[in-house]
Amino acid sequence: MSELRLDGISLSYDRGRAQRGPCVLDNVTLSVGANEFVAVLGQSGSGKTSLLNIAAGFIAPSAGRVTIDGVAQAGPGAGRAVVFQDDALFAWLNARDNVALPLRLRGLDVKERRQRADALLAQVGLEGQGGKAIWTLSGGMRQRVGIARALASEPRFLLMDEPLGALDAMTRERMQELLLRAWRTSRAGALLITHSVEEALFVATRVIVLAPHPGRIVESLDVDFGARFLDGEAARAIKSDPAFIAIRERLIDAIHETELRVAS
Amino acid sequence: MSTLGDRTNPLSLPVAGRSFDWRPWVPTIVGTLTTLVVILFWHLASTNAWVSPVFLPPPAKVFRSFIGLIVNGYVDSTLFQHAGTSLARVFSALFFAALFAIPAGILIATSPVGRGVLDPLIEFLRPLPPLAYLPLVIIWFGIGEPSKVLVIALSMIAPIAISTASGVRSASESQINAARSFGASRFQVLTNVLLPGALPSIITGIRIALGAGWTTLVAAELVAASRGLGYMIQSAAQFLVTDVVIVGILVIAALSIAFETILRLLERVFTPWSRHR
Ligand SMILES: Nc1ncnc2c1ncn2[C@@H]1O[C@H](COP(=O)(O)OP(=O)(O)OP(=O)(O)O)[C@@H](O)[C@H]1O
Ligand SMILES: [Mg+2]
């Protein structure tokens, strides 16, 4: 059982000349286990992206440490794949070669790369579209290529920064379902940043609320609506379940409260 | 032929269901007409002696001298030999300039030390007219072929290096982070992300550099050349053989337009994504 742990993470961005900026994250402790799906909610500027960048190893925290199974991590890699809000795909590669890039970097031969990439594309509903140029794909298709590419490295942890943020409501719901299934198949631990309370509740096994200035965890809630979907219940039925709605409203209140506290 | 702008006008939307769309051809048609009108006025101006034929020989005479240059040549070489020599100078200069400037651009964009060392050098070179450093290059390296190639290459370094650097910098942070999270080394990030992303800019840089190269060519052939289009033009000018001068100018123009077109084609074939960003 692998576990990605953020331990007592604090962060303030340097402002040059060794000057410290305001505290962006204050003593955040968080863990993502294999088979866990952690969703992070919080208003804009609460430090969600900063937290994910630290988890991914893109930036170093000012205090605290990132460990995987107790081993401290200094940089990116080590089984953590990232899905970016701007898809971060490579325009000079077609969909298949984008997905196959992690495999190429690992030195797999062309045939195997192709096979695995095509299988992953099929898994995200893009069967037979591997030859398409990136700029001919819609926003939703690009995000799916991005998800397939992250899965290609067979990560132990899947880190996602608002991967569905730019999509319309209908596409977004389909993508949430796709994400849940992909996560289940991959058996990875997932960390998802989102603005949508409904999305967080639907896909996650644990929902965390981050309050801003400085960013800190004010709420942590275990839920299991995603499991119901994976067991065959309809997504809309789950999302209109009174229990779902009650928790959704409670979380919205909690986030709203963090705003009020800032305002006063 | 239009090399100055793309055929597609961003302001006009394509209309479906028309039998034949004239619009893509408008620049070509207008361009051809303009050329014909200019030649007509040129013809009228010299046959009616509005301008002395010594200064402006009629188009027909220039054409005859063009044929004569191909068959008999001028100052001991045929037109093809002159053009071949000039092309060899411009392209060997391009080769050496690219050999230096592409790595330099990469270093400027990726390493603070590289930037510190190379940026001032490029910025120093960039605004200098080639005629200004030509004498110095001759003093240092003599009047042989290397000096000519060097002068042309110097005029090509800045555009290639600057375009390369800006292309390398155009990669988004998340693209670089994506590659790093897949375990790419610094070198793999360079070869898999930064360089492919910079390719459109590098081709643009080479296009600009070729333009600069043609400009510098004539200056480089001012001194101790015995062949080349620039040399041909200058020799003819000394004896007021205006028709040869005009042929030389037109050949240089035609060559540079031809290579510009080829590069645009390469751009379209090898970097089709650059139009869709
Ligand atoms: N590179 C940076 N340099 C300096 N300050 C930064 C940097 N990145 C983020 N910040 C600051 O850190 C704080 C948190 O930013 P962050 O991007 O983590 O928020 P977020 O929760 O992801 O917001 P959003 O929901 O709008 O994406 C903000 O106040 C922001 O101004
Ligand atoms: Mg963010």
PDB file of all heavy atoms in Angstrom, chain A residues 131-143:
ATOM      1  N   GLY A 131      -4.302   8.998 -34.237  1.00  0.00           N
ATOM      2  CA  GLY A 131      -3.560   9.676 -35.287  1.00  0.00           C
ATOM      3  C   GLY A 131      -3.908  11.144 -35.433  1.00  0.00           C
ATOM      4  O   GLY A 131      -3.299  11.857 -36.228  1.00  0.00           O
ATOM      5  N   LYS A 132      -4.881  11.623 -34.654  1.00  0.00           N
ATOM      6  CA  LYS A 132      -5.330  12.994 -34.853  1.00  0.00           C
ATOM      7  C   LYS A 132      -4.357  14.015 -34.267  1.00  0.00           C
ATOM      8  O   LYS A 132      -3.756  13.787 -33.214  1.00  0.00           O
ATOM      9  CB  LYS A 132      -6.702  13.181 -34.201  1.00  0.00           C
ATOM     10  CG  LYS A 132      -7.804  12.512 -34.989  1.00  0.00           C
ATOM     11  CD  LYS A 132      -9.141  13.151 -34.694  1.00  0.00           C
ATOM     12  CE  LYS A 132     -10.196  12.631 -35.639  1.00  0.00           C
ATOM     13  NZ  LYS A 132     -11.539  12.736 -35.073  1.00  0.00           N
ATOM     14  N   ALA A 133      -4.239  15.126 -34.954  1.00  0.00           N
ATOM     15  CA  ALA A 133      -3.412  16.216 -34.440  1.00  0.00           C
ATOM     16  C   ALA A 133      -4.122  16.878 -33.271  1.00  0.00           C
ATOM     17  O   ALA A 133      -5.352  16.968 -33.243  1.00  0.00           O
ATOM     18  CB  ALA A 133      -3.157  17.239 -35.536  1.00  0.00           C
ATOM     19  N   ILE A 134      -3.328  17.339 -32.294  1.00  0.00           N
ATOM     20  CA  ILE A 134      -3.895  17.898 -31.074  1.00  0.00           C
ATOM     21  C   ILE A 134      -4.837  19.064 -31.355  1.00  0.00           C
ATOM     22  O   ILE A 134      -5.887  19.197 -30.751  1.00  0.00           O
ATOM     23  CB  ILE A 134      -2.755  18.349 -30.133  1.00  0.00           C
ATOM     24  CG1 ILE A 134      -1.973  17.123 -29.632  1.00  0.00           C
ATOM     25  CG2 ILE A 134      -3.288  19.133 -28.962  1.00  0.00           C
ATOM     26  CD1 ILE A 134      -2.827  16.101 -28.932  1.00  0.00           C
ATOM     27  N   TRP A 135      -4.461  19.905 -32.335  1.00  0.00           N
ATOM     28  CA  TRP A 135      -5.258  21.110 -32.532  1.00  0.00           C
ATOM     29  C   TRP A 135      -6.597  20.819 -33.217  1.00  0.00           C
ATOM     30  O   TRP A 135      -7.412  21.695 -33.381  1.00  0.00           O
ATOM     31  CB  TRP A 135      -4.473  22.180 -33.289  1.00  0.00           C
ATOM     32  CG  TRP A 135      -4.239  21.847 -34.729  1.00  0.00           C
ATOM     33  CD1 TRP A 135      -5.108  22.075 -35.767  1.00  0.00           C
ATOM     34  CD2 TRP A 135      -3.082  21.261 -35.306  1.00  0.00           C
ATOM     35  NE1 TRP A 135      -4.558  21.643 -36.933  1.00  0.00           N
ATOM     36  CE2 TRP A 135      -3.318  21.134 -36.685  1.00  0.00           C
ATOM     37  CE3 TRP A 135      -1.859  20.818 -34.772  1.00  0.00           C
ATOM     38  CZ2 TRP A 135      -2.366  20.591 -37.550  1.00  0.00           C
ATOM     39  CZ3 TRP A 135      -0.933  20.282 -35.643  1.00  0.00           C
ATOM     40  CH2 TRP A 135      -1.185  20.167 -36.999  1.00  0.00           C
ATOM     41  N   THR A 136      -6.791  19.575 -33.652  1.00  0.00           N
ATOM     42  CA  THR A 136      -8.090  19.248 -34.243  1.00  0.00           C
ATOM     43  C   THR A 136      -9.038  18.663 -33.198  1.00  0.00           C
ATOM     44  O   THR A 136     -10.168  18.332 -33.518  1.00  0.00           O
ATOM     45  CB  THR A 136      -7.934  18.221 -35.385  1.00  0.00           C
ATOM     46  OG1 THR A 136      -7.408  17.010 -34.832  1.00  0.00           O
ATOM     47  CG2 THR A 136      -6.990  18.723 -36.465  1.00  0.00           C
ATOM     48  N   LEU A 137      -8.576  18.523 -31.945  1.00  0.00           N
ATOM     49  CA  LEU A 137      -9.418  17.935 -30.908  1.00  0.00           C
ATOM     50  C   LEU A 137     -10.162  19.023 -30.138  1.00  0.00           C
ATOM     51  O   LEU A 137      -9.680  20.144 -29.993  1.00  0.00           O
ATOM     52  CB  LEU A 137      -8.555  17.130 -29.924  1.00  0.00           C
ATOM     53  CG  LEU A 137      -7.700  16.001 -30.521  1.00  0.00           C
ATOM     54  CD1 LEU A 137      -6.866  15.350 -29.431  1.00  0.00           C
ATOM     55  CD2 LEU A 137      -8.577  14.979 -31.219  1.00  0.00           C
ATOM     56  N   SER A 138     -11.338  18.668 -29.612  1.00  0.00           N
ATOM     57  CA  SER A 138     -12.089  19.604 -28.774  1.00  0.00           C
ATOM     58  C   SER A 138     -11.442  19.653 -27.385  1.00  0.00           C
ATOM     59  O   SER A 138     -10.612  18.814 -27.043  1.00  0.00           O
ATOM     60  CB  SER A 138     -13.529  19.137 -28.646  1.00  0.00           C
ATOM     61  OG  SER A 138     -13.583  17.978 -27.835  1.00  0.00           O
ATOM     62  N   GLY A 139     -11.873  20.636 -26.584  1.00  0.00           N
ATOM     63  CA  GLY A 139     -11.308  20.793 -25.249  1.00  0.00           C
ATOM     64  C   GLY A 139     -11.463  19.532 -24.401  1.00  0.00           C
ATOM     65  O   GLY A 139     -10.524  19.101 -23.723  1.00  0.00           O
ATOM     66  N   GLY A 140     -12.643  18.921 -24.479  1.00  0.00           N
ATOM     67  CA  GLY A 140     -12.887  17.710 -23.695  1.00  0.00           C
ATOM     68  C   GLY A 140     -12.010  16.557 -24.153  1.00  0.00           C
ATOM     69  O   GLY A 140     -11.491  15.788 -23.339  1.00  0.00           O
ATOM     70  N   MET A 141     -11.834  16.454 -25.478  1.00  0.00           N
ATOM     71  CA  MET A 141     -10.979  15.390 -26.010  1.00  0.00           C
ATOM     72  C   MET A 141      -9.534  15.598 -25.574  1.00  0.00           C
ATOM     73  O   MET A 141      -8.819  14.655 -25.225  1.00  0.00           O
ATOM     74  CB  MET A 141     -11.070  15.359 -27.540  1.00  0.00           C
ATOM     75  CG  MET A 141     -12.418  14.866 -28.062  1.00  0.00           C
ATOM     76  SD  MET A 141     -12.648  15.370 -29.784  1.00  0.00           S
ATOM     77  CE  MET A 141     -12.089  13.904 -30.626  1.00  0.00           C
ATOM     78  N   ARG A 142      -9.096  16.855 -25.581  1.00  0.00           N
ATOM     79  CA  ARG A 142      -7.714  17.135 -25.155  1.00  0.00           C
ATOM     80  C   ARG A 142      -7.504  16.735 -23.714  1.00  0.00           C
ATOM     81  O   ARG A 142      -6.484  16.136 -23.359  1.00  0.00           O
ATOM     82  CB  ARG A 142      -7.426  18.632 -25.280  1.00  0.00           C
ATOM     83  CG  ARG A 142      -7.157  19.039 -26.686  1.00  0.00           C
ATOM     84  CD  ARG A 142      -6.849  20.504 -26.724  1.00  0.00           C
ATOM     85  NE  ARG A 142      -7.283  21.014 -28.016  1.00  0.00           N
ATOM     86  CZ  ARG A 142      -6.878  22.138 -28.543  1.00  0.00           C
ATOM     87  NH1 ARG A 142      -6.054  22.912 -27.880  1.00  0.00           N
ATOM     88  NH2 ARG A 142      -7.306  22.512 -29.711  1.00  0.00           N
ATOM     89  N   GLN A 143      -8.478  17.072 -22.854  1.00  0.00           N
ATOM     90  CA  GLN A 143      -8.316  16.707 -21.442  1.00  0.00           C
ATOM     91  C   GLN A 143      -8.247  15.200 -21.298  1.00  0.00           C
ATOM     92  O   GLN A 143      -7.522  14.674 -20.465  1.00  0.00           O
ATOM     93  CB  GLN A 143      -9.457  17.284 -20.597  1.00  0.00           C
ATOM     94  CG  GLN A 143      -9.283  18.749 -20.235  1.00  0.00           C
ATOM     95  CD  GLN A 143      -7.981  19.039 -19.494  1.00  0.00           C
ATOM     96  OE1 GLN A 143      -7.176  18.160 -19.221  1.00  0.00           O
ATOM     97  NE2 GLN A 143      -7.755  20.297 -19.177  1.00  0.00           N
TER      98      GLN A 143
END
